[in-house]
Amino acid sequence: MTKKSPISNQSLQIPKPILLTAKLLEAISPKLVTLFAAKLFTTPIKHKIPKRELHMEQNSRQSKLLVPSLKKEIMVYEYGEGEKKVLLVHGWSGRGTQLVKIADELVKLGYQIVSFDAPAHGKSEGRTTIMTEFIASILEIEKQLGPFEFAIGHSLGGMSILNAIKQGFKVKKAVTIGSGDIIQDILDDFVSKLKLNPKIAGRLKQHFEKKFGESMENYSAHVAAQEVKIPVLVIHDKNDHDVNIKAAYNIDKHLENSELMITEHLGHRKILGNELVINSIKEFLKT
C-alpha cells in the first residue's frame, strides 16, 4: 500500500560542536569517546510543543504518575471522554502530544486517549533515559490507568510497545509506525551520524551491556515480535532517513499476526499526520 507525496523528510542533524567534540575525544581516547557517545545516546532533545499539538495539550487532563521501579515521575495526558482507552507512545525526543492527529481521530470514534511524556522527555523529570524506561512506564500506566484496548507507538515507542507486550502488557491490537528494530543497527547508525569509527558502536554496546547486565539485543523489536500473538499493523515509509525500511520487513516477518503498510515520501515524522495512514489505522482497529 503506497501513497506518493511531494513531502520528504530529512533526518535530524547533529550540531557541529558536538561532532567536533566527538572527533577530538576519539583522537584522545576510545574510552572517553565511548562515554561521550553513551551520554549523547541517552540524552533526548526537548522540543517546544508545536502549534498543531497545542489543542491536545490544553484539552488534556494532565497528571504526574510515579513509576516506582524507576523512582521517577512522568507526565500523563488523558484526552477524550470515551470508556475504552488507547495508549499512544511517542518516540525518542518526542512528547505525549506528538501523535495528535491520530489522537483526534480516535477521540471522534469514541475512544479515550492516554499518552505520556517518557522520562527525560516533555514535562517529565530527568535528563537521560533509555528504552527500558519507556517499557517500565507503559507497564506502570497499564497498572494505574488500564486496561487498554489498543496501543500505537512511533519509532522507539513502537519498539517499546512490542517489548511491553512481551513483558505482559495486554492489548487487543497494536500499531507500530517507523519502528526501529535491531539494537546494533541503531547504534551503528548513531555512531555513523557522529562521524566516528564504526568500531565505537561495538564499544558502545559493550558499555550498555556491562551497565545494565544483559544483552541489548534482547530488546530488538523482531525479538519481542516473536512473543506477540495479537494482530499488529506495521507502518513504515520507504523514505524514512531515521529508521531504515528493512526494520519494518524484519519485524513483520517475526510477527504471528500482522499487516504491513509501506508508504512513500512521508519520512519519519510526516507519516504521523498523513490521512491515508490514519484511515488505515482506524480501519485496522475497527475490523
Side-chain angles (χ1 to χ4, degrees):
M1 192 182 297
T2 60
K3 179 173 178 64
K4 291 187 177 181
S5 164
I7 303 168
S8 67
N9 179 70
Q10 292 301 314
S11 177
L12 290 176
Q13 298 300 307
I14 295 174
K16 280 187 178 179
I18 290 177
L19 294 177
L20 291 171
T21 302
K23 293 301 287 184
L24 177 62
L25 291 173
E26 183 179 34
I28 296 170
S29 161
K31 183 178 180 181
L32 283 177
V33 74
T34 299
L35 292 173
F36 180 70
K39 180 74 170 178
L40 287 178
F41 189 76
T42 57
T43 306
I45 299 167
K46 289 192 177 185
H47 298 285
K48 185 179 178 182
I49 297 178
K51 286 183 179 179
R52 65 179 175 274
E53 298 173 22
L54 285 176
H55 69 276
M56 180 176 175
E57 197 266 342
Q58 291 165 356
N59 295 313
S60 294
R61 300 175 297 284
Q62 298 177 33
S63 60
K64 289 287 183 77
L65 182 146
L66 177 66
V67 184
S69 62
L70 305 178
K71 297 179 181 176
K72 292 182 179 181
E73 284 189 331
I74 57 173
M75 178 63 76
V76 174
Y77 303 83
E78 296 174 84
Y79 184 54
E81 303 296 335
E83 288 185 15
K84 294 183 177 180
K85 298 180 180 181
V86 180
L87 182 68
L88 303 186
V89 186
H90 67 77
W92 189 253
S93 293
R95 60 212 155 263
T97 54
Q98 192 169 14
L99 280 67
V100 60
K101 296 291 186 183
I102 297 169
D104 283 343
E105 291 303 311
L106 293 180
V107 166
K108 287 177 188 175
L109 292 178
Y111 292 103
Q112 180 185 155
I113 300 302
V114 177
S115 63
F116 64 101
D117 294 332
H121 288 75
K123 299 177 183 178
S124 294
E125 62 184 34
R127 295 186 64 184
T128 62
T129 191
I130 202 161
M131 181 166 57
T132 52
E133 296 194 345
F134 276 63
I135 299 165
S137 298
I138 291 169
L139 295 174
E140 189 59 34
I141 287 171
E142 181 187 32
K143 278 185 192 175
Q144 297 194 34
L145 298 174
F148 292 95
E149 292 284 302
F150 313 120
I152 303 170
H154 174 238
S155 197
L156 182 63
M159 295 182 74
S160 300
I161 285 172
L162 293 176
N163 275 281
I165 292 170
K166 178 185 175 183
Q167 294 185 28
F169 176 50
K170 288 182 170 52
V171 282
K172 294 176 181 176
K173 292 183 180 181
V175 180
T176 68
I177 308 169
S179 173
D181 177 24
I182 298 170
I183 303 296
Q184 189 62 64
D185 286 352
I186 294 168
L187 293 172
D188 288 344
D189 182 63
F190 178 71
V191 166
S192 173
K193 285 174 180 172
L194 283 174
K195 304 187 187 303
L196 297 173
N197 188 313
K199 290 181 181 178
I200 299 298
R203 293 181 64 91
L204 198 52
K205 187 179 179 186
Q206 289 172 2
H207 166 81
F208 286 122
E209 290 181 339
K210 184 178 179 181
K211 182 176 180 179
F212 294 105
E214 63 178 321
S215 170
M216 289 188 76
E217 291 305 342
N218 290 341
Y219 294 93
S220 291
H222 78 277
V223 174
Q226 295 172 47
E227 307 293 325
V228 176
K229 308 304 178 186
I230 62 167
V232 179
L233 174 59
V234 179
I235 306 174
H236 210 109
D237 192 79
K238 283 184 180 179
N239 308 99
D240 189 326
H241 299 294
D242 286 56
V243 183
N244 193 285
I245 185 71
K246 70 178 184 178
Y249 290 116
N250 199 37
I251 294 168
D252 178 62
K253 184 173 76 174
H254 287 86
L255 285 164
E256 184 176 291
N257 186 350
S258 63
E259 294 179 27
L260 180 62
M261 178 183 182
I262 304 299
T263 62
E264 292 185 62
H265 308 296
L266 295 176
H268 192 62
R269 294 170 188 82
K270 297 287 185 185
I271 196 169
L272 295 175
N274 180 260
E275 186 178 352
L276 178 62
V277 169
I278 295 171
N279 286 337
S280 296
I281 292 171
K282 286 159 60 178
E283 284 302 311
F284 172 74
L285 298 181
K286 280 194 289 186
T287 55

